[in-house]
Amino acid sequence: MIGRHGQITTLIISDIHGNLEALEAVLACRGPEQEVVCLGDLVGYGPNPNEVVRLVRDLDPTACLLGNHDLAVLGAVPLELFNSDAARAARWTAGRLKPDLRDWLREHAPTQTLPGTHLAHASPKDPIWEYMEESWQGPENFESFSGPLCFVGHTHVPRVFEQTGTNSYTPVRLLGEGETVQLGDNVRMIVNPGSVGQPRDGDWRAAYGVWNPEAGTFTAHRTEYAVETTQQKILDAGLPRFLAQRLTLGR
Ligand code: ZN
């Protein structure tokens, strides 16, 4: 993933969910010339779908996936598969998303492969729906992509799965702020950077990661943002109150 402009690191973002304040705070941490990869769910839940999609589009990301919420807003998966708050927010978003942004989203997919790196919104095995949370999910997912590395989103929790040999796997673990994991000769990884716009690991701060392909390292990061502004916008929009409350709970 050493890319078009010769820079050596990539900002990995996922699950922005229409939270403009969180996205802007993460982008303020972006290094000069750093590439951007977005793992999907740009919209759903949050009050600024148009602003978020436009901002991501204008970043000219190296890759941008679609998540289950993006697909729901585009009418590509049924809303019956969502809980009531998520379905309400998806309907609200679908009624507001501008045609040019909808068209731009439609050009993307829930999975993509870059040189040396696989990307899937949810999991390599099931890119739209599987929540990768438990160690037993590692082996069958490592079988579902080739190459050393896969990035996933969807759970909103920063985690790493590691394969350390043909039939050898380390237990899945959470990635704390500032923690770095590293690829090795015998190490494959499935890494989740956590969620920009709706973290669910008990920490309300926006989560993202930085991938350094030369060093083979991924570092997890957090940043504060104007969460009360986002919460007020959610209430003003008439979206479900819980979608505002959960942002400060980090759940
Ligand atoms: Zn999501």
Side-chain angles (χ1 to χ4, degrees):
M1 246 161 35
I2 299 175
R4 295 164 297 183
H5 314 296
Q7 62 272 42
I8 57 161
T9 63
T10 302
L11 184 75
I12 311 287
I13 56 177
S14 192
D15 297 278
I16 306 162
H17 285 293
N19 186 333
L20 181 63
E21 289 72 29
L23 177 60
E24 287 178 336
V26 167
L27 292 177
C29 305
R30 181 187 177 196
E33 305 267 310
Q34 202 167 42
E35 289 195 2
V36 177
V37 164
C38 175
L39 302 171
D41 276 359
L42 288 77
V43 301
Y45 296 129
N48 286 113
N50 288 306
E51 292 79 0
V52 163
V53 176
R54 193 175 294 121
L55 186 48
V56 173
R57 180 193 66 185
D58 293 348
L59 291 169
D60 190 20
T62 307
C64 181
L65 304 181
L66 296 185
N68 50 314
H69 290 257
D70 304 316
L71 290 165
V73 166
L74 295 174
V77 301
L79 286 177
E80 291 73 57
L81 297 170
F82 288 79
N83 69 46
S84 68
D85 282 350
R88 241 177 92 189
R91 248 178 244 111
W92 181 92
T93 303
R96 282 163 182 79
L97 194 62
K98 304 273 191 252
D100 63 314
L101 301 174
R102 184 181 292 268
D103 290 345
W104 182 80
L105 281 177
R106 275 190 208 285
E107 294 168 13
H108 299 85
T111 183
Q112 188 175 338
T113 301
L114 299 172
T117 310
H118 188 67
L119 309 172
H121 173 67
S123 81
K125 189 169 66 104
D126 176 358
I128 301 177
W129 295 110
E130 181 180 9
Y131 290 89
M132 284 200 74
E133 296 171 320
E134 309 282 347
S135 295
W136 63 263
Q137 294 169 289
E140 58 191 26
N141 273 290
F142 278 108
E143 274 177 27
S144 302
F145 71 101
S146 55
L149 177 66
C150 177
F151 288 111
V152 298
H154 193 52
T155 64
H156 300 203
V157 175
R159 281 195 183 91
V160 61
F161 292 75
E162 286 171 303
Q163 180 178 15
T164 53
T166 309
N167 277 312
S168 175
Y169 306 89
T170 56
V172 62
R173 59 194 171 84
L174 301 178
L175 284 173
E177 183 182 12
E179 199 170 333
T180 295
V181 288
Q182 180 150 29
L183 283 178
D185 287 343
N186 238 339
V187 180
R188 299 173 75 209
M189 298 191 302
I190 300 172
V191 179
N192 188 324
S195 167
V196 171
Q198 195 198 78
R200 294 181 190 162
D201 60 349
D203 182 342
W204 65 274
R205 297 173 302 162
Y208 65 99
V210 173
W211 165 239
N212 182 330
E214 270 180 31
T217 56
F218 172 89
T219 303
H221 292 280
R222 305 303 280 247
T223 186
E224 297 189 359
Y225 71 97
V227 62
E228 286 164 14
T229 303
T230 314
Q231 289 177 308
Q232 192 58 51
K233 286 183 184 178
I234 289 172
L235 299 178
D236 291 347
L239 287 161
R241 174 167 289 269
F242 175 62
L243 298 182
Q245 292 168 335
R246 69 188 304 176
L247 292 183
T248 34
L249 302 172
R251 292 288 172 205

